[in-house]
């Protein structure tokens, strides 16, 4: 089972064993990680599940697709490593993934 680490804005680290095919957002919400609101439920239509992919993982996770990139325009303090966590699907290739929660959502 892949491992996922989410680091909240206050520095608290949340470590989970996660299912392949689940999204980073789903795991964050299910485990009540603070700062991930996910108002649209994962439809790539709200930008309130914004995270920063850890620098070491950025290339592996890859860039957002066009629709996600458009939604990221509504996110707060977007950086080159910004992604919408509902659009990051867990796979064995992302075992050990680390993402950071921004100070606030849009
Ligand atoms: S949950 Fe709404 S865009 Fe990700």
């Amino acid at each position: 089972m892949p491992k996922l680490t989410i680091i909240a804005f206050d520095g608290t680290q949340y470590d989970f064993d996660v299912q392949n095919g689940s999204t980073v957002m789903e795991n964050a919400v299910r485990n009540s990680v603070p700062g991930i609101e996910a108002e649209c439920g994962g439809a790539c239509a709200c930008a309130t599940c914004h995270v920063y992919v850890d620098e070491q993982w950025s290339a592996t996770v890859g860039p957002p697709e066009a629709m996600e990139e458009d939604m990221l325009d509504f996110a707060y303090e977007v950086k080159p490593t910004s992604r919408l966590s509902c659009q990051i699907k867990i796979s064995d290739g992302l075992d050990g993934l680390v993402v950071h929660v921004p100070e606030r959502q849009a």
Side-chain angles (χ1 to χ4, degrees):
M1 219 179 223
K3 295 199 180 307
L4 167 66
T5 295
I6 304 176
I7 300 176
F9 185 70
D10 70 0
T12 307
Q13 183 170 326
Y14 298 83
D15 297 309
F16 308 113
D17 292 322
V18 294
Q19 301 274 0
N20 275 335
S22 65
T23 68
V24 171
M25 177 280 277
E26 288 165 349
N27 289 289
V29 169
R30 191 176 304 136
N31 292 288
S32 303
V33 175
I36 302 291
E37 295 167 12
E39 283 169 10
C40 78
C44 196
C46 74
T48 62
C49 65
H50 175 211
V51 294
Y52 303 120
V53 175
D54 194 83
E55 299 271 343
Q56 298 204 324
W57 280 96
S58 193
T60 308
V61 172
E65 292 190 3
M67 186 173 148
E68 181 185 342
E69 200 164 1
D70 286 348
M71 280 314 301
L72 274 169
D73 287 345
F74 298 97
Y76 173 75
E77 251 185 39
V78 175
K79 300 180 185 176
T81 57
S82 288
R83 290 290 311 265
L84 295 179
S85 59
C86 69
Q87 302 301 305
I88 305 175
K89 218 170 236 183
I90 299 296
S91 63
D92 287 336
L94 294 185
D95 183 15
L97 175 65
V98 180
V99 302
H100 303 261
V101 178
E103 182 178 3
R104 63 181 172 86
Q105 295 294 340

